[in-house]
Amino acid sequence: MGQRLWASYNEAKRQTKDLIPDIASTDPDTIFANNEISLRDIEIYGFDYDYTLAFYSKHLHTLIFNIARDILITQHRYPEGLREYEYIADFAVRGLHYDVQKALLMKIDAFHYIQLGTVYRGLNPVPDQEVIAMYEGSHVPLDIMSDFYGKSSQGHTMKQFMDIFSLPEMTLLSCVNDFFMRHNIDYEPVHLYKDVKVSIRDVHVKGIMYRAVEADIDKYICYGEESHAVLKKLSEHGKKMFLITNSPFDFVNRGMSYIVGKDWRDLFDIVIVQADKPSFFNDRRKPFRQVTDKGALLWDRIHKLEKGNIYKQGNLYEFLDLADLTLKHGWRTGAIIPELRKEIKIMNTEQYVHMTTWLQALTGLIEQMQVHPDPVSQAVVHEWIKEREAMKPQTKDIFNAQFGSLFRTYHNPTYFSRRLARFADIYMASISCLLDYDFKHTFFPRRSPLQHESTFWPQHRPASFLVLLEALTF
């Protein structure tokens, strides 16, 4: 029986190798659909500014980290020794959760399970057994993650970092935790989290980052020509456009003049700055105010949002009421995920394709052959399980040594992916992807079979090949 099992193993491995050349690569400029959507039906396009129209270079996160670190030292009286820490560009990924009270940074999947091997205290990984002991397993209860901003009825705090600007914040949190632990300093993790949060906020709110970017715009902003091309194409096809951003007008004006030209406002029907998202979408209490070109706020009541004017704050409900646009027929959403392009390039490598294809084939073999109860079969299957467990960290490390892919844990989607699927009809690496499609294009989500659905593979195929193909469909 052992020989038969190993024969199936070797045959599956051979067929895996033969399949590799036939597995198609994914174009990083593709637009991916979570929900069916036709551009034929879209007449109005709304944009954010940061990381949608304006893409930033790697220097921006270093700038934010350095400024916030110095604010901690000069204004919050943190140790001077923190200046020895520099921004670590490849340490964190977006979508991680931070347990404020335990000072732990981790990745959580769509089912609220912690991905073991991705839990960090400071800059060092926490052993799996210690994580399991702290959380009484690897599952994080729903009441701890009761909303997207980490507040719960039981007083626990689990903050998820979704914004790209949160990468410097996660790294700074980890560096300060590391400093305190290395120097055996007793500290309150909640105070540390709040101080870092305030310092990062001050970098934005006090305009420090904005002034630095405006002073050296060539260093910090890139991809301008692609955003310009998309806006021009939309305008030429008669599409209406609006811009809603949390950034101040001077900053947006400087950036958009660099990307598009000084007449950039002619492209947009409505421009709203300092919108205070996400509260813009659910807080009815903040009315719009008009902003002059000099940045002064007017006190007039806003009865209509008009092209050529600049507005501040406001809320979604007034926006729908006041805008001279047909916006009440349902919103369709598109997410810009800059990390997508890098991850797809990794997924297209022969190393990744071979590794994940064999991992899925091996998983299929384990699932199929574990039913044999004899000791010899069980010993063989145990060897396969050990091989599978040894491979899983490799599928993480190929993306990021600490936390792996933005979109997957070892096999499940991440919590980030869950939110992306829930809130975005389509997603892409940058808005430049729109240049490859005409405005009659319909995006269709891929019909992946559910666990109970047939994969429709011919039944005469060899068993090991069936297992391999069925695994690959997921």
Side-chain angles (χ1 to χ4, degrees), residues 19-199:
L19 274 176
I20 300 302
D22 297 327
I23 297 177
S25 296
T26 300
D27 183 355
D29 291 322
T30 300
I31 295 178
F32 304 92
N34 292 319
N35 191 17
E36 184 174 328
I37 176 174
S38 174
L39 295 184
R40 187 190 301 270
D41 301 327
I42 310 298
E43 295 298 328
I44 304 161
Y45 287 75
F47 296 93
D48 194 359
Y49 174 69
D50 297 303
Y51 288 104
T52 299
L53 295 174
F55 273 74
Y56 297 100
S57 71
K58 60 183 180 180
H59 302 293
L60 184 65
H61 288 168
T62 300
L63 174 72
I64 295 171
F65 177 92
N66 290 341
I67 296 172
R69 178 201 60 202
D70 293 346
I71 290 174
L72 277 178
I73 296 169
T74 59
Q75 298 182 24
H76 297 274
R77 302 176 65 186
Y78 275 60
E80 280 286 338
L82 287 174
R83 294 193 195 276
E84 69 185 62
Y85 288 90
E86 300 291 340
Y87 179 62
I88 309 169
D90 58 353
F91 176 72
V93 299
R94 256 200 307 166
L96 300 180
H97 281 79
Y98 184 76
D99 190 317
V100 174
Q101 295 179 329
K102 293 182 174 67
L104 296 177
L105 189 64
M106 68 191 75
K107 189 163 75 170
I108 295 178
D109 73 12
F111 303 97
H112 295 190
Y113 281 90
I114 299 168
Q115 181 180 351
L116 297 177
T118 68
V119 180
Y120 275 71
R121 182 184 287 115
L123 298 175
N124 297 304
V126 180
D128 293 348
Q129 291 306 314
E130 186 177 339
V131 174
I132 292 170
M134 282 190 287
Y135 291 95
E136 299 180 345
S138 60
H139 185 261
V140 180
L142 180 62
D143 59 352
I144 294 179
M145 304 170 64
S146 62
D147 72 10
F148 287 147
Y149 301 101
K151 301 172 184 176
S152 75
S153 58
Q154 295 193 5
H156 296 284
T157 50
M158 188 71 81
K159 160 73 176 179
Q160 187 181 23
F161 291 100
M162 289 292 292
D163 195 278
I164 298 183
F165 283 124
S166 65
L167 289 170
E169 183 174 357
M170 286 186 279
T171 306
L172 184 58
L173 273 170
S174 299
C175 288
V176 180
N177 275 308
D178 181 76
F179 179 88
F180 285 157
M181 289 187 297
R182 285 202 299 113
H183 291 84
N184 296 315
I185 298 173
D186 189 24
Y187 68 102
E188 172 54 61
V190 175
H191 297 333
L192 168 59
Y193 167 75
K194 290 181 177 178
D195 290 343
V196 170
K197 181 179 179 180
V198 168
S199 298

Side-chain angles (χ1 to χ4, degrees), residues 279-280 282-287 315 317-318 321:
S279 66
F280 176 88
N282 51 41
D283 187 348
R284 295 174 179 259
R285 295 172 296 178
K286 296 180 179 179
N315 62 80
Y317 308 98
E318 281 201 3
D321 289 337

Side-chain angles (χ1 to χ4, degrees), residues 260-279:
V260 176
K262 295 190 179 298
D263 59 348
W264 68 270
R265 287 165 57 184
D266 294 341
L267 295 171
F268 293 92
D269 293 87
I270 298 173
V271 177
I272 301 169
V273 299
Q274 292 176 280
D276 195 25
K277 294 179 289 183
S279 66

Side-chain angles (χ1 to χ4, degrees), residues 19 361 455 457-458 461 463-474:
L19 274 176
T455 51
W457 296 115
R461 295 284 191 181
S464 59
F465 191 62
L466 266 176
V467 168
L468 180 60
L469 288 181
E470 288 172 358
L472 283 175
T473 62
F474 294 96

Side-chain angles (χ1 to χ4, degrees), residues 425-439:
D425 293 293
I426 56 175
Y427 63 98
M428 64 203 85
S430 74
I431 63 169
S432 65
C433 299
L434 285 167
L435 296 172
D436 296 330
Y437 298 87
D438 64 41
F439 292 119

Side-chain angles (χ1 to χ4, degrees), residues 145-350:
M145 304 170 64
S146 62
D147 72 10
F148 287 147
Y149 301 101
K151 301 172 184 176
S152 75
S153 58
Q154 295 193 5
H156 296 284
T157 50
M158 188 71 81
K159 160 73 176 179
Q160 187 181 23
F161 291 100
M162 289 292 292
D163 195 278
I164 298 183
F165 283 124
S166 65
L167 289 170
E169 183 174 357
M170 286 186 279
T171 306
L172 184 58
L173 273 170
S174 299
C175 288
V176 180
N177 275 308
D178 181 76
F179 179 88
F180 285 157
M181 289 187 297
R182 285 202 299 113
H183 291 84
N184 296 315
I185 298 173
D186 189 24
Y187 68 102
E188 172 54 61
V190 175
H191 297 333
L192 168 59
Y193 167 75
K194 290 181 177 178
D195 290 343
V196 170
K197 181 179 179 180
V198 168
S199 298
I200 291 286
R201 184 198 65 192
D202 286 350
V203 174
H204 298 272
V205 172
K206 293 185 177 180
I208 305 171
M209 183 197 81
Y210 302 133
R211 290 191 293 272
V213 172
E214 290 179 54
D216 198 354
I217 204 162
D218 288 319
K219 179 179 180 180
Y220 293 107
I221 292 185
C222 48
Y223 299 127
E225 67 282 357
E226 295 178 352
S227 296
H228 189 188
V230 171
L231 295 175
K232 184 178 178 182
K233 180 179 178 181
L234 290 168
S235 178
E236 290 173 347
H237 282 78
K239 306 298 182 182
K240 294 187 176 182
M241 291 177 279
F242 62 88
L243 174 64
I244 304 179
T245 175
N246 284 349
S247 295
F249 173 69
D250 288 346
F251 180 69
V252 174
N253 185 47
R254 178 77 172 91
M256 289 299 292
S257 296
Y258 175 79
I259 295 168
V260 176
K262 295 190 179 298
D263 59 348
W264 68 270
R265 287 165 57 184
D266 294 341
L267 295 171
F268 293 92
D269 293 87
I270 298 173
V271 177
I272 301 169
V273 299
Q274 292 176 280
D276 195 25
K277 294 179 289 183
S279 66
F280 176 88
F281 297 106
N282 51 41
D283 187 348
R284 295 174 179 259
R285 295 172 296 178
K286 296 180 179 179
F288 285 104
R289 294 193 71 173
Q290 188 173 338
V291 184
T292 69
D293 291 348
K294 302 293 185 180
L297 293 172
L298 302 182
W299 50 263
D300 309 60
R301 182 188 294 272
I302 306 299
H303 294 283
K304 184 179 180 181
L305 300 179
E306 298 178 334
K307 184 171 183 175
N309 292 337
I310 305 297
Y311 300 95
K312 177 183 177 181
Q313 289 187 339
N315 62 80
L316 177 63
Y317 308 98
E318 281 201 3
F319 179 62
L320 296 176
D321 289 337
L322 300 178
D324 187 20
L325 299 169
T326 308
L327 291 171
K328 294 186 179 182
H329 297 293
W331 290 58
R332 308 305 297 271
T333 54
I336 306 299
I337 315 292
E339 300 95 332
L340 186 61
R341 184 168 275 114
K342 177 183 177 182
E343 292 219 1
I344 288 176
K345 288 180 179 179
I346 292 173
M347 291 166 56
N348 285 340
T349 62
E350 183 177 347

